[in-house]
Amino acid sequence: MVAGLEQVLDAIEALRESLVADAEAGQAEREGPRSTVHPAHAASAANLDHFVALRQRDLRELQDLLAELGLSSLGRCEAHVLATVDAVRRALAALADRPQPGRDAATVTAPDFAQGRALLECKADDLLGPSIEGRRTRIMVTLPTEAAADQRIVDSLVIAGMDVARINCAHDDEASWVDMARLVRASARAHGRDVKVLMDLAGPKLRTSSMEPGPAVVRLKPERDALGKVVAPAGACLVRIADRDDDDQSCDEQGRVVVPVAGEILDDLLTEDVLHLVDARGKRRSLRVGVVGTSVEVSTHGTAYLVEGSELRNLRTGLVGSVGALRPPAGHVEITIGQTVDLFAGGRVHHVDAGGPDRVVVGCTLPEAVEALRVGHRVFFDEGTFGGVVQALGSDCDGRSTASVMITSGPPNGGKLRAEKGINLPDTDVPVPALSSDDLVALDAIVRLADIVALSFVRTPDDVRLLQSHLTERGAGDIGLVLKIETVQAFRALPDLLRTAMRSRSVGVMIARGDLAVEAGYERLAELQEEILWLCEAAHLPVIWATEVLDRLTKTGRPTRSEITDAAMSERAECVMLNKGRHVLEAITMLDDILRRMAEHQTKKRPLLRPLRSWASAID
């Protein structure tokens, strides 16, 4: 037994020596000494180096030997790598009757157990604000457009438990951002909360370009059961043209269709009034008035097609009106597996069928992306709905770069690809900076309004340095910085991205699981998000768990079983992001409950052995 102990102890000693040596060698290869990181991250940078060195090795056999001896198998060492190894060394030395190891320079620099835990908690508080009692993990909520004008919406989010308000700079405008931030600050003060404001830079827009729009028509279609009986009427909101901005969306936040109306018909309306119309097909239909306010909610049990000029008449008052100009829907192309998509750089697709029955033409908003493609590179459209491989490269008659993409994955019966849908190029190094010209304009507002700025499309340390430089120029070097990890390139460069980001005082990471799943493959997402959590814990940096958390609940009011499990696993992060939706308040309440329950069972990877009452007479 002693001989076995000697061998295990020798293995641990050799492991420690190699960790220290590899960390020092890696540091020497980088641009500057560790002192270039912010002083708040000095110990964390050392621990990150030791963790990266540790995870370059296969330790499974050593772990088994340590477990058999009743010692730590190093499986939960992220926040305090060297301290864990040294604790095992001391225990093995005592068992083997060897002298206790002494302290060295590496031991002094690296955090111990208490420091490792405290550093992460302190940095999470600094970036995201203090956690609520009983819930370690914060809740971030993406603000809807209406939050810029309605204090009640913001108040309800704050009261429900929102800790961080996210403003997506890819939507709305600076005036709306100003109003959103102002209302968040006011609500936080009124309710005694510390609610942070995070503003998310849009980044380069790698999307399908505009296409020929479809007909300008609104279809109201009720939901029917298998026998054709209406189980839910179709709904819409009627608004006066004078009250409708040109930039209004065709649907409100609750998903209801918004129909502009001219004339007097919306005057003197009462609940249960009936509006008569003849739709675009000549069908007689009736709209029953529900809620009357700044907009008028109506419903119908019959399918109706509304176009500009469709006449409406109030049967009670005799007042009439007509449907105003409708925004035509975005155009689309039909795509099936086996087809070829001719992807070209920029511009509107005027003739989506120009390629013939076996080919479709799609534009890309970022010309540099098409120019960077190579034969064999993978291309994904619309969050991975369609995927393909580049078969050939060329140029069109205007000299624009083109790429022929053979579609290899998608819905079995094909589907529609619309304008403004995301494009992912996991194999392609797109030579554009992470900050677009629009981002630089938005940054002027962000440094005035936000506590945190989130960097989209980050791929290299240079992207991080570029943002840090622009923040410093604007006198905002201390603003919180969040790196959105949404590409395979960013994931592979994550240790260097973290080291570069740690030149800033307050830093965190967002796992943008939607794009990351498309880029890496859905089957790898669970593995990747685990590794990101581990690496960030080693750097003592807080993580935001994002994309589709309780998404079905937020949109429909009813969660799926799988998303409940996903929400429970998100407790290992320091913050969880919810997207906007009709039932976001219910989602906040449920997430708060899940996170509180899970906080009693685990912290990061470590199970907490509180007394279990699940098998008692009553489940608590």
Side-chain angles (χ1 to χ4, degrees), residues 208-212 347-350 363 365 419-420:
T208 55
S209 60
S210 59
M211 303 176 186
E212 282 293 312
R348 168 180 285 189
V349 178
H350 292 283
T365 57
E420 293 297 314

Side-chain angles (χ1 to χ4, degrees), residues 185-207:
R185 306 292 188 200
S187 183
R189 287 193 300 270
H191 296 94
R193 298 283 313 285
D194 182 0
V195 179
K196 300 293 186 183
V197 174
L198 177 145
M199 295 182 69
D200 197 329
L201 291 166
K205 295 180 180 178
L206 182 51
R207 298 182 177 277

Side-chain angles (χ1 to χ4, degrees), residues 274-292:
V274 177
L275 310 182
H276 174 77
L277 67 95
V278 177
D279 79 353
R281 304 167 300 162
K283 302 288 186 180
R284 296 181 180 277
R285 293 290 183 258
S286 297
L287 304 179
R288 185 168 296 278
V289 176
V291 178
V292 177

Side-chain angles (χ1 to χ4, degrees), residues 198-533:
L198 177 145
M199 295 182 69
D200 197 329
L201 291 166
K205 295 180 180 178
L206 182 51
R207 298 182 177 277
T208 55
S209 60
S210 59
M211 303 176 186
E212 282 293 312
V217 60
V218 168
R219 183 179 70 161
L220 303 181
K221 184 179 180 180
E223 182 181 344
R224 301 178 185 273
D225 62 17
L227 299 177
K229 182 179 179 181
V230 173
V231 294
C237 286
L238 308 184
V239 297
R240 290 180 175 83
I241 289 180
D243 297 334
R244 182 178 184 270
D245 295 331
D246 290 339
D247 292 334
D248 280 352
Q249 300 297 311
S250 57
C251 293
D252 64 9
E253 286 299 324
Q254 285 71 43
R256 296 169 300 192
V257 176
V258 175
V259 180
V261 176
E264 300 176 336
I265 191 169
L266 299 187
D267 296 338
D268 301 323
L269 278 178
L270 298 176
T271 300
E272 299 300 321
D273 273 355
V274 177
L275 310 182
H276 174 77
L277 67 95
V278 177
D279 79 353
R281 304 167 300 162
K283 302 288 186 180
R284 296 181 180 277
R285 293 290 183 258
S286 297
L287 304 179
R288 185 168 296 278
V289 176
V291 178
V292 177
T294 55
S295 63
V296 177
E297 296 182 15
V298 296
S299 62
T300 178
H301 282 69
T303 300
Y305 289 78
L306 307 182
V307 295
E308 183 178 359
S310 293
E311 187 177 273
L312 305 173
R313 180 182 298 273
N314 188 329
L315 297 183
R316 180 180 61 83
T317 65
L319 296 176
V320 298
S322 62
V323 174
L326 300 173
R327 182 175 294 106
H332 68 270
V333 292
E334 298 281 347
I335 294 181
T336 58
I337 296 174
Q339 270 189 322
T340 296
V341 170
D342 290 323
L343 187 66
F344 74 93
R348 168 180 285 189
V349 178
H350 292 283
H351 302 287
V352 296
D353 60 347
D358 296 325
R359 309 178 77 92
V360 294
V361 181
V362 174
C364 173
T365 57
L366 199 63
E368 295 90 342
V370 181
E371 295 164 2
L373 284 169
R374 296 294 180 265
V375 173
H377 283 194
R378 291 170 295 161
V379 180
F380 294 98
F381 299 97
D382 191 6
E383 298 183 348
T385 302
F386 304 97
V389 179
V390 176
Q391 301 291 312
L393 302 170
S395 58
D396 63 13
C397 58
D398 296 322
R400 296 175 298 186
S401 296
T402 62
S404 297
V405 182
M406 174 66 73
I407 299 300
T408 57
S409 63
N413 297 320
K416 296 177 181 180
L417 175 61
R418 302 184 185 278
E420 293 297 314
K421 294 300 182 181
I423 300 176
N424 291 88
L425 309 175
D427 305 320
T428 308
D429 183 8
V430 183
V432 295
L435 290 177
S436 67
S437 56
D438 289 341
D439 290 331
L440 294 179
V441 174
L443 208 55
D444 293 329
I446 289 172
V447 298
R448 292 186 286 106
L449 302 173
D451 304 294
I452 310 164
V453 56
L455 178 61
S456 300
F457 205 64
V458 60
R459 293 157 297 157
T460 70
D462 284 341
D463 293 330
V464 181
R465 282 189 280 266
L466 179 63
L467 176 57
Q468 290 171 324
S469 173
H470 281 288
L471 291 174
T472 300
E473 289 176 5
R474 290 163 172 77
D478 281 342
I479 192 172
L481 173 60
V482 166
L483 307 183
K484 292 175 64 178
I485 307 304
E486 51 195 334
T487 66
V488 170
Q489 191 174 356
F491 172 75
R492 290 173 177 163
L494 189 54
D496 286 335
L497 291 176
L498 297 184
R499 293 184 185 105
T500 305
M502 288 162 75
R503 298 180 181 187
S504 299
R505 179 182 61 82
S506 188
V507 180
V509 164
M510 178 184 291
I511 310 178
R513 302 185 302 161
D515 283 309
L516 192 58
V518 174
E519 292 249 340
Y522 284 86
E523 66 277 7
R524 288 202 63 201
L525 178 61
E527 175 189 6
L528 265 57
Q529 67 187 20
E530 289 298 308
E531 294 187 23
I532 294 172
L533 284 168

Side-chain angles (χ1 to χ4, degrees), residues 5 8-9 11-12 15 59-75 84-85 88-89 91-92 95:
L5 282 173
V8 177
L9 181 53
I12 285 290
L15 173 63
L59 301 174
R60 287 174 289 184
E61 184 177 348
L62 178 59
Q63 284 185 298
D64 288 342
L65 294 173
L66 292 173
E68 290 173 7
L69 293 170
L71 301 176
S72 168
S73 61
L74 310 179
T84 303
V85 173
V88 173
R89 287 172 70 209
L92 285 169
L95 289 172

